[in-house]
Amino acid sequence: MPRAYSADIRGRVIARVESGASRREAAEHFEISASTAIKWVKCFRDTGSCAASTSPLEEHADCLLTLVADQPDLTLDEVVSAMHKRGIAGSRSAVWRFFQRHKVTFKKKPAGGRAEASRRGSGTPALDTRAGYA
């Protein structure tokens, strides 16, 4: 998953455009795509800031991290269900990315009651037992 650009590079691109360079020139100078520079400058002019967006789940980080600390065997679907019961909106993929950012991993449990693989019998009987020559 690609990482967000730093606030420093965003600020430098915006400063270069504000000092008279075109968006495409600034993008070429800082080796980013032109569309990225265009979006950053538009965001800056609309809002006055162009910081990388954060997940809405970060507001509920304590709740989510406590939930999995108390019940570490929850599945992602169970976490989403518990979130919805608490009035926290979010999807399974958003929860996955949240836990990935917070270094929370889920280990598969060892298979307990799996059926044994079918084993072959002792093989075909010898020629003399099939023909009745025993």
Side-chain angles (χ1 to χ4, degrees), residues 105-117:
T105 60
F106 294 93
K107 303 277 184 192
K108 287 185 178 180
K109 296 182 188 118
R114 285 194 176 169
E116 290 287 324

Side-chain angles (χ1 to χ4, degrees), residues 11-112:
R12 290 168 48 197
V13 169
I14 291 168
R16 189 167 184 101
V17 171
E18 292 296 312
S19 68
S22 74
R23 293 170 183 89
R24 292 183 190 280
E25 289 171 346
E28 194 173 305
H29 179 78
F30 290 105
E31 297 179 352
I32 62 170
S33 71
S35 64
T36 299
I38 291 167
K39 289 176 189 175
W40 289 350
V41 172
K42 180 182 181 332
C43 177
F44 177 75
R45 290 185 177 164
D46 290 348
T47 65
S49 172
C50 195
S53 62
T54 59
S55 169
L57 293 180
E58 293 299 332
E59 296 173 16
H60 308 283
D62 293 337
C63 177
L64 292 172
L65 295 173
T66 302
L67 178 67
V68 295
D70 294 343
Q71 299 175 356
D73 58 340
L74 289 177
T75 64
L76 286 174
D77 289 330
E78 291 170 334
V79 172
V80 171
S81 177
M83 285 171 37
H84 290 167
K85 287 179 186 174
R86 291 178 171 90
I88 303 170
S91 66
R92 185 176 180 197
S93 58
V95 171
W96 174 261
R97 288 188 302 268
F98 170 83
F99 286 137
Q100 189 176 26
R101 279 191 306 275
H102 289 271
K103 308 281 191 267
V104 175
T105 60
F106 294 93
K107 303 277 184 192
K108 287 185 178 180
K109 296 182 188 118

